Amino acid sequence: MFEFIKKYSNGSFSFGIEDNLKAKCMEIQYENIDKCCGVYIVYGYPKDKGDKEIVYIGSSGHFEDNRPIPRKGGLRRRLYGRQKDDLSGELVFRSILWPRLMQRDSIHKLEICWYDTGKEHNPLIVEFCLILTHIICRKRLPIWNNELKLDGRSKNDFEQFVKEQNITSLITAINQ
């Protein structure tokens, strides 16, 4: 489904409900993880069946004046950082939120796959394309994502990225 991200440097790790998310993130052995921009896809393994399913897609960093601007702590910190809790509306560390969501959704394990989008591609646009592709294929957002958004200023960059990466499922949509 996401062939276009396979070219990026990447890695993955699994996370169980009893694991320490920050410790798992600190184990990532990638020299640029603390200062890179990128995207990540979180797969959940439901307790009642073995098939993994995408539960969340996120990104870290943005572009300014055609150059990447990483978040403080880069992609690593984003993975264990805070996320908005849909119920309370508050920002909660993922080490607290994800186990809570895993229990709620009967998920026994997560697989977190991350991708360094480098100096060429805006991670916000890559994230948008990933979520949009998921919506087209699955007819819904990933269960832990609550919106699909793209800054209006990025519309032309989005269309150019889709055409350059030849994301056929999205090319049809932007040409209509």
Side-chain angles (χ1 to χ4, degrees):
M1 178 167 37
F2 301 136
E3 293 298 316
F4 67 96
I5 63 170
K6 290 183 178 179
K7 67 174 165 251
Y8 301 126
S9 296
N10 64 79
S12 67
F13 62 94
S14 57
F15 172 75
I17 209 159
E18 300 294 324
D19 290 338
N20 180 318
L21 183 59
K22 185 174 181 178
K24 287 279 198 172
C25 290
M26 297 313 274
E27 293 172 3
I28 296 172
Q29 298 294 310
Y30 179 65
E31 67 180 82
N32 291 327
I33 196 76
D34 295 317
K35 55 185 180 262
C36 74
C37 295
V39 295
Y40 52 99
I41 302 170
V42 180
Y43 296 89
Y45 288 83
K47 291 178 182 174
D48 59 349
K49 58 183 178 179
D51 297 337
K52 68 182 180 180
E53 153 182 348
I54 295 171
V55 295
Y56 188 75
I57 298 172
S59 65
S60 178
H62 64 283
F63 264 41
E64 236 174 71
D65 300 323
N66 289 323
R67 60 185 182 89
I69 307 296
R71 287 178 178 251
K72 182 180 179 185
L75 188 52
R76 182 193 319 263
R77 185 165 176 197
R78 180 69 172 153
L79 291 171
Y80 69 79
R82 296 188 220 199
Q83 180 177 329
K84 190 174 187 179
D85 182 346
D86 289 343
L87 296 176
S88 70
E90 295 179 30
L91 288 175
V92 179
F93 282 102
R94 288 186 172 94
S95 59
I96 296 168
L97 181 62
W98 284 358
R100 189 183 315 156
L101 294 173
M102 290 168 73
Q103 285 183 324
R104 181 193 75 188
D105 297 329
S106 297
I107 294 170
H108 70 93
K109 179 176 85 171
L110 299 177
E111 179 183 357
I112 296 102
C113 301
W114 55 267
Y115 302 84
D116 177 352
T117 53
K119 297 181 185 327
E120 308 158 8
H121 299 130
N122 186 334
L124 297 173
I125 291 174
V126 176
E127 174 194 22
F128 184 80
C129 289
L130 291 169
I131 294 173
L132 191 55
T133 300
H134 184 277
I135 291 170
I136 289 168
C137 293
R138 302 282 191 261
K139 309 294 186 243
R140 63 176 174 77
L141 283 165
I143 60 173
W144 296 353
N145 286 94
N146 58 19
E147 65 182 337
L148 172 68
K149 64 180 180 202
L150 183 66
D151 186 310
R153 296 170 290 180
S154 299
K155 183 179 185 299
N156 290 336
D157 293 339
F158 162 68
E159 290 179 2
Q160 181 180 345
F161 178 81
V162 167
K163 289 174 183 172
E164 286 174 359
Q165 303 308 307
N166 195 29
I167 308 171
T168 54
S169 62
L170 300 182
I171 289 173
T172 305
I174 64 174
N175 285 334
Q176 292 183 354

